[in-house]
Amino acid sequence: MKKIILMLAIIATTTIAFGQTKSPLTVNVGGTVLFPVGTSLNEKSPSYGETVKLVCQPKNIGYTLSVSYLQSKSDSVQIPVMVGTKIKVLNNLYFNTEAGVSFYNKSNNPQFTYSPSFTYQIKRFGVTQSFLGSISNGKSASNVGFSLTYKL
């Protein structure tokens, strides 16, 4: 519960700080669904949750900081925290690469996490298709994800 309140506080603070001026900084919020691919290290059922992404994109290449809260049917919680780049490929199409760590409620060991993705931006809405991978002790978990986001 504290993590959800913290995420909402971050969204509110950033919206107030950057909402009144034209800035290369934007905040994207939205829902995410992940489906495991192959044999998964942590989960065998789909995960769903929320994503908050801070994007600084003054030109065609930008930088990202993202935090997600993902939960599966078995109440397993994954919180990936990642940084990365966002590259404008076409007019509304972006390629993203991110890397960071994931924290789990059923494990004390954070895992290295990476995520390449494509985003198609339609005005303030974005549709993202992503791959989320985690590595721990030589074992990996792979997920294919879909997100619908809104740019604040």
Side-chain angles (χ1 to χ4, degrees), residues 34-41 43 131-132 140-145:
L34 292 172
F35 300 96
V37 178
T39 57
S40 180
L41 181 65
E43 257 325 300
F131 175 86
L132 182 70
S140 65
S142 302
N143 296 283
V144 173

Side-chain angles (χ1 to χ4, degrees), residues 42-108:
N42 301 310
E43 257 325 300
K44 307 246 184 297
S45 63
S47 299
Y48 55 91
E50 304 85 28
T51 299
V52 177
K53 184 179 285 192
L54 178 65
V55 179
C56 177
Q57 188 156 14
K59 299 280 180 181
N60 290 333
I61 298 177
Y63 305 98
T64 63
L65 169 65
S66 66
V67 177
S68 299
Y69 182 87
L70 304 167
Q71 185 173 4
S72 69
K73 291 180 182 178
S74 64
D75 291 331
S76 175
V77 174
Q78 177 184 9
I79 303 173
V81 179
M82 298 184 287
V83 296
T85 60
K86 182 176 182 180
I87 301 168
K88 188 174 188 176
V89 179
L90 296 173
N91 193 21
N92 294 330
L93 183 66
Y94 297 89
F95 175 68
N96 307 289
T97 57
E98 294 182 308
V101 295
S102 284
F103 302 96
Y104 296 88
N105 66 334
K106 296 184 177 181
S107 171
N108 292 330

